[in-house]
Amino acid sequence: MGFLSGKRILITGIANKQSIAWGIAQAMHKQKAILGFTYENNRLRIRVEECAKIVGSEIILPCDVSNDTSIKDFFCKLSEFWNKFDGFVHSIAFAPSDQFVGDYVNNVTREGFKIAQEISSYSFVAMARESRSMINKGGSLLTLSYLGSERAVPFYNVMGPAKASLEANVRYMAHALGPDGIRVNAISAGPIRTLAASAIKNFRKMLAEYTPRTALHRNVSIEDIGNTAAFLVSELALGITGEVIHVDGGFNIAF
Ligand code: 0WD
């Protein structure tokens, strides 16, 4: 028995085995959740299939969250496997690479700002709207944020406002979905070397400087994020909604 026994959870945002979403999937699998997976495009399909196989999942479906039809089609296909399920993990963010360089004010563009907001924040509520009627009472939605929403982190640039919007989205979604018995939370993760992180200039340097400044004197891993994610979607966390929980080794509380 695990504390997610019998729960059906959908995982988005696996790009490879370094992805935070993969750490989450493994932790949930350990707690006996039944998992389904999305992949953004055919380039990523094989990698997601490999991951799904490891955790015994047969649900691997395309979903590009930049496109409303793709989201609609995805949940329609998912309903052929699961007419009801217990929640999803939104582990998705994107902004064009030219938005992560130089001075924020000089380099941010209308298009870059719009794309970052659409894919990294709006897509969370778009997915919730399309799946609301399929989610069981007691269900849980989870997304991934970063401290750049609260503080100006060099080179994080346009993704900072996108994460701030995502965190506000969490609170508004939690308020709207609360009466349906659905909880909505975010994990604000410490920096982890992934594909998405490689878009941020100086990420390695930042990671090295980060370690001694955390309260725990260590960086976090995808396992750390995964374990908190498993807890948050479980019945152990039934009283928690609308929260942004830092899983960052105590970086944000240290001076
Ligand atoms: O330090 C880090 N790595 C942190 C990441 C610290 C704190 C938060 N996060 C957040 C990210 O901002 C993101 O929201 O965690 C989430 C997952 O990021 P990750 O695990 O670091 O990155 P990665 O393994 O690259 O997965 C993100 C995936 C995409 O991968 P690529 O790299 O191919 O863009 O998001 C998915 C895609 O699989 N994605 C989409 N999925 C569906 N539709 C789309 C889209 N339009 N765009 C990106």
Side-chain angles (χ1 to χ4, degrees), residues 32-88:
K32 309 284 184 241
I34 303 157
L35 300 175
F37 292 87
T38 69
Y39 58 91
E40 180 191 351
N41 53 39
N42 275 332
R43 185 175 55 83
L44 297 175
R45 183 170 57 90
I46 293 173
R47 293 211 198 116
V48 178
E49 279 173 356
E50 280 168 16
C51 291
K53 202 170 161 199
I54 293 170
V55 296
S57 172
E58 286 169 357
I59 302 176
I60 308 127
L61 295 168
C63 181
D64 177 350
V65 299
S66 66
N67 180 316
D68 283 337
T69 310
S70 175
I71 298 176
K72 259 194 183 29
D73 289 351
F74 162 69
F75 281 112
C76 189
K77 287 212 185 75
L78 183 68
S79 69
E80 292 170 16
F81 296 86
W82 295 344
N83 58 350
K84 286 275 182 182
F85 67 109
D86 299 289
F88 65 80

Side-chain angles (χ1 to χ4, degrees), residues 120-220:
S120 316
S121 177
Y122 173 73
S123 64
F124 189 37
V125 68
M127 285 185 67
R129 187 174 50 247
E130 286 308 320
S131 60
R132 186 174 194 166
S133 62
M134 293 170 69
I135 297 176
N136 286 321
K137 205 174 164 75
S140 178
L141 315 184
L142 183 68
T143 188
L144 274 301
S145 192
Y146 176 62
L147 192 64
S149 63
E150 304 165 54
R151 302 200 201 153
V153 175
F155 305 114
Y156 201 60
N157 291 5
V158 76
M159 198 53 83
K163 290 300 191 191
S165 153
L166 178 67
E167 292 179 11
N169 222 345
V170 164
R171 292 184 282 273
Y172 278 85
M173 286 167 64
H175 197 257
L177 293 172
D180 296 0
I182 300 171
R183 298 179 297 106
V184 186
N185 292 292
I187 292 175
S188 181
I192 298 174
R193 202 175 297 162
T194 63
L195 213 55
S198 66
I200 318 288
K201 206 179 148 201
N202 276 359
F203 185 80
R204 269 167 195 248
K205 190 166 164 261
M206 186 176 113
L207 208 57
E209 287 170 1
Y210 185 90
T211 318
R213 292 182 55 196
T214 61
L216 294 177
H217 285 255
R218 71 165 178 90
N219 292 328
V220 290

